[in-house]
Amino acid sequence: MTDTMTHYSNMLTPLPAKLYSAAFPSPDESPSSQDLMILVSTIAVMWAAIFSVLHRYLHPYAMRQQWLTDAMGREYDRVGLSMCKALRVKWTRQRYIEIMLNDWPKMQGIYLQHFIGGVLCLPAVLGCTDSWAANLACLGVLSEMGWEMSDMADIVITRSTAVDGKERVPDTLVMIMSIHHSMTLTLGLPLVMKYRQLRTLHLLTFNLQWAAALAISANEYCKTLDLKNQKQLRTFRIVNGICFGIMAWMRGIYWLFLCGKLHMRLYEDEEYTMMCVGVVIYTLITGFNVMLCIYPFGKKMLKFGPRSKEIGLVAMDDGEELEDTKKEGGVHPSPSNNSLMEKGDTDN
């Protein structure tokens, strides 16, 4: 018994050193794929624990906040019903609010995780060429990879064990998240192993993570704004316009430029397997970026912009959504919800 315990103790003792050497190898070292996977798995467990703690403490708080309930109701009226149609789920207004309140702690964790990943890339992005800067940037890649592994595990567990799991995580959402996670989960490890010092990889990682962090955090803030208040409507337009610009550049133009640059490097190095996989992934992620990152902000700019009443977009969209809500048995808005669909001036 003692010998067995000693054996396992010897196996576990070097683990912290292994994790450190995999995360911060010297310039003449190259971590093995096994060591990197151990590091990624450890990061996945870490992020799972952090998200679990966030849910434990923030979920009760969220359920007690009327302002947050009102915010989720307004979000349903703005874009939630359209999202339900896109996901092919028949959530009533009240059910949408319940699910969004339950997921609110997770959303705070997601933009926190993306901000941290982007910060890890900053030294390399700002031009530092030392090995420690490249190691930090690659740790940002591995951090994203670990979180995405834990997120996919959470999706599988929710759908498999929760009574309403398949309703909360519908098939369409699984497909969307699979596309979102595809790049890091397929190309992350080989790119880190071969191109640890490549600036394009560092820029691409920063680009994807901070674009997501800024957009998600800004969107979470915009949910709390009542567009019937002129000052808050103006704030909404400014924040939404800035987010559209950021996403159009970071998830649109600059994304395509960096993908092309990385693709050419893979071609020059005759990394044909990564190159072919990359073409498929770039295409999928580009579609994801356009449809789910850039287009929604553009649509809200038109729907709630200064000329929205002149061109009739708000009246048309809100009228259609209200009619659709009635047909699908949705919960009708009440005065306490400050709904955009209340009778009266819906956008001011």
Side-chain angles (χ1 to χ4, degrees):
M1 181 68 177
T2 304
D3 292 341
T4 304
M5 292 180 64
T6 303
H7 172 69
Y8 282 111
S9 177
N10 291 336
M11 289 178 63
L12 293 173
T13 299
L15 183 60
K18 272 190 175 182
L19 295 176
Y20 182 84
S21 62
F24 301 100
S26 60
D28 58 343
E29 291 180 338
S30 180
S32 67
S33 58
Q34 182 180 4
D35 288 345
L36 287 174
M37 278 307 302
I38 292 173
L39 175 60
V40 169
S41 300
T42 303
I43 293 172
V45 172
M46 179 198 74
W47 280 121
I50 291 173
F51 275 73
S52 178
V53 170
L54 285 175
H55 186 83
R56 178 175 180 178
Y57 289 100
L58 291 184
H59 182 258
Y61 168 81
M63 299 304 289
R64 294 193 303 267
Q65 306 306 309
Q66 184 59 44
W67 64 269
L68 197 51
T69 300
D70 294 342
M72 297 307 173
R74 288 192 291 267
E75 184 69 3
Y76 177 86
D77 300 336
R78 295 171 193 167
V79 297
L81 182 57
S82 299
M83 186 196 79
C84 291
K85 291 177 181 178
L87 293 177
R88 298 178 182 177
V89 293
K90 295 183 179 180
W91 293 342
T92 63
R93 190 175 192 274
Q94 186 58 39
R95 182 57 176 156
Y96 176 89
I97 292 172
E98 291 170 359
I99 291 174
M100 292 301 109
L101 285 175
N102 182 73
D103 288 346
W104 186 76
K106 182 176 182 178
M107 296 304 298
Q108 314 317 303
I110 289 175
Y111 68 73
L112 171 66
Q113 183 273 326
H114 282 78
F115 267 125
I116 291 173
V119 168
L120 290 172
C121 299
L122 267 179
V125 167
L126 294 176
C128 181
T129 57
D130 294 340
S131 60
W132 63 266
N135 289 338
L136 281 177
C138 289
L139 187 59
V141 178
L142 300 175
S143 172
E144 178 71 8
M145 189 175 176
W147 172 72
E148 290 179 355
M149 286 175 59
S150 69
D151 188 52
M152 291 304 295
D154 180 58
I155 288 173
V156 171
I157 291 170
T158 300
R159 282 174 59 91
S160 303
T161 61
V163 175
D164 59 348
K166 291 188 177 180
E167 180 201 10
R168 285 165 48 193
V169 189
D171 294 341
T172 310
L173 184 58
V174 174
M175 181 185 69
I176 291 171
M177 296 311 296
S178 297
I179 292 173
H180 175 274
H181 296 343
S182 61
M183 184 169 187
T184 308
L185 292 180
T186 57
L187 295 175
L189 208 61
L191 285 173
V192 167
M193 291 181 68
K194 186 170 179 63
Y195 295 106
R196 179 173 287 270
Q197 303 293 329
L198 185 63
R199 179 170 170 77
T200 303
L201 175 61
H202 308 157
L203 290 170
L204 195 58
T205 305
F206 175 82
N207 186 61
L208 289 171
Q209 298 216 51
W210 263 36
L214 292 170
I216 294 171
S217 57
N219 192 56
E220 288 296 296
Y221 169 68
C222 284
K223 289 178 183 178
T224 67
L225 299 177
D226 184 355
L227 303 193
K228 294 168 66 181
N229 180 294
Q230 281 290 340
K231 186 176 180 180
Q232 294 187 36
L233 175 61
R234 192 178 305 113
T235 302
F236 177 90
R237 288 169 175 168
I238 292 171
V239 173
N240 191 76
I242 292 172
C243 286
F244 175 78
I246 290 173
M247 296 306 270
W249 172 252
M250 298 184 78
R251 288 290 183 117
I253 299 168
Y254 199 44
W255 153 260
L256 292 173
F257 170 76
L258 290 174
C259 284
K261 200 170 180 180
L262 179 60
H263 190 74
M264 289 303 299
R265 178 61 183 269
L266 293 174
Y267 177 76
E268 290 169 1
D269 293 346
E270 298 183 353
E271 293 288 346
Y272 298 126
T273 301
M274 274 198 283
M275 188 179 72
C276 292
V277 173
V279 169
V280 176
I281 298 300
Y282 304 156
T283 303
L284 291 173
I285 299 295
T286 299
F288 176 92
N289 288 345
V290 172
M291 296 305 298
L292 297 174
C293 299
I294 301 171
Y295 171 74
F297 285 109
K299 182 179 180 181
K300 281 189 279 189
M301 284 180 65
L302 289 175
K303 185 173 181 178
F304 302 109
R307 297 185 60 224
S308 58
K309 281 200 167 185
E310 289 180 41
I311 59 180
L313 280 174
V314 174
M316 178 185 70
D317 286 358
D318 287 349
E320 288 178 352
E321 291 186 0
L322 178 57
E323 193 63 32
D324 289 337
T325 304
K326 290 178 179 179
K327 289 179 181 178
E328 296 179 14
V331 177
H332 292 234
S334 62
S336 63
N337 288 321
N338 296 321
S339 167
L340 288 178
M341 295 191 293
E342 290 176 23
K343 186 176 179 181
D345 190 358
T346 57
D347 296 305
N348 294 308

